[in-house]
Amino acid sequence: MTRWRPLADDLDPRVREFTEQLRRQVDRGGLSAAALADATGYSRSSWERYLSARLLPPRYAVVALAQATGADPRHLVTLWEVAERAWSRAENRHDVTMEAGRVAEARAALGEFGPAPGTGPAPHRSRRALVLFAAGAVAVVLAVVVATVLAGGGGGTDRAGQPRAPHSSRTAHAAALPSGVKCTGATCTGEDPEGMGCGGAHARTTASAWIGGALVETRYSEVCAAAWARMSAAAPGDTLTVGPAGAGGQVQRTRIGGTAAAYTPMLAATAPTAVLSCATLASGLHGCAAPQVASPSLGPGGR
């Protein structure tokens, strides 16, 4: 963790300053990657992205790092707020640039099939080009339809005469996800909800309970079809889990280190009532946040 890779040359100076400050705090604390993950409750892979400026950490992660290294969290949070504004503006500029590129490509494509303004009259050529283009487009569509039917992708029946289910497209499904969301369903299991873009505005608290002096919550993302457990006011040695509400099944777990807030990796879930978030305190006290059919959302603040 003490030998850092150079940051990108085009990185915003405010994001660079914030990231370099995080790196200095890790060096001063003498934390290894495993120790940092254990102390903060955020995964090793998440910290690798944060400390290389590939992803901006959430505020909770910054506070957790300050607590783990003995730094003043107010100073780090101030730098984070400045970096967060710069990061958001950079993302907006990227979106605008991409949109402008798509518009330019569309205009260029349209320009191929008609005269540009001020080039003089050539209506017969323009109409002929449009007709040829339309005929070609129809031929392509028909070819795709025929190929889909022959390949069985469009339904129909199999050799036994039974209805054939249409093939799904993983690529099309991924393209339908909101910007920043990188997984859904089973592909989210074991992943960091913040790193995969499932938190924030895409998540809500669906169950909560106080276990001793700690607050345990179930966070659910409909977009990602996944859930995870979050714990606040925790103490070192506490254990947090999220698993199926019924018996058996996979369980995601995290152990609280030197931070008062932590969360588990995600678990695929078709509904928030399908999972159960539980905590076992270092004192031995155990309890769970019972699933609820409906629960008010806490809004976009936090994972």
Side-chain angles (χ1 to χ4, degrees):
M1 296 294 293
T2 58
R3 303 179 66 178
W4 306 106
R5 293 183 179 180
L7 297 173
D9 293 335
D10 59 350
L11 190 64
D12 187 281
R14 291 156 293 188
V15 178
R16 179 182 296 275
E17 179 185 0
F18 168 69
T19 304
E20 290 176 344
Q21 185 61 246
L22 291 183
R23 290 179 169 187
R24 283 193 288 270
Q25 292 302 325
V26 173
D27 288 341
R28 290 171 184 171
L31 296 174
S32 66
L36 181 60
D38 185 64
T40 62
Y42 289 77
S43 68
R44 176 173 178 167
S45 60
S46 292
W47 277 115
E48 289 175 350
R49 289 190 288 265
Y50 302 155
L51 294 172
S52 63
R54 286 182 291 157
L55 188 68
L56 193 72
R59 182 191 294 263
Y60 282 131
V62 175
V63 174
L65 175 62
Q67 294 174 341
T69 59
D72 185 348
R74 293 173 296 179
H75 175 61
L76 283 181
V77 168
T78 298
L79 292 178
W80 175 85
E81 291 174 345
V82 174
E84 195 275 335
R85 289 193 291 270
W87 188 281
S88 298
R89 283 194 292 269
E91 287 187 336
N92 289 336
R93 285 196 298 271
H94 174 73
D95 291 342
V96 170
T97 301
M98 293 295 290
E99 187 68 22
R102 288 193 292 268
V103 170
E105 290 177 357
R107 287 174 175 171
L110 290 173
E112 294 177 358
F113 305 110
T119 59
H124 61 285
R125 289 188 178 183
S126 175
R127 286 194 296 270
R128 184 171 184 272
L130 287 173
V131 170
L132 291 175
F133 170 72
V138 171
V140 170
V141 171
L142 289 176
V144 171
V145 171
V146 171
T148 301
V149 172
L150 291 177
T157 59
D158 59 17
R159 294 182 179 180
Q162 298 299 319
R164 181 187 291 114
H167 294 289
S168 61
S169 172
R170 179 174 296 183
T171 301
H173 182 64
L177 293 175
S179 175
V181 177
K182 304 174 184 177
C183 69
T184 183
T187 60
C188 290
T189 295
E191 298 289 346
D192 185 310
E194 192 277 333
M196 292 292 105
C198 298
H202 296 308
R204 60 191 176 96
T205 294
T206 58
S208 63
W210 286 94
I211 312 300
L215 176 63
V216 175
E217 301 170 89
T218 296
R219 296 285 288 172
Y220 184 74
S221 172
E222 293 182 357
V223 169
C224 295
W228 59 97
R230 184 172 68 180
M231 192 174 186
S232 306
D238 294 349
T239 301
L240 180 65
T241 63
V242 62
Q250 188 174 2
V251 175
Q252 297 296 328
R253 183 186 315 272
T254 189
R255 189 173 185 273
I256 310 302
T259 179
Y263 60 94
T264 67
M266 289 187 286
L267 183 67
T270 56
T273 54
V275 297
L276 188 65
S277 298
C278 300
T280 300
L281 307 187
S283 62
L285 183 63
H286 177 81
C288 302
Q292 302 171 1
V293 175
S295 169
S297 170
L298 292 185
R303 291 168 311 284

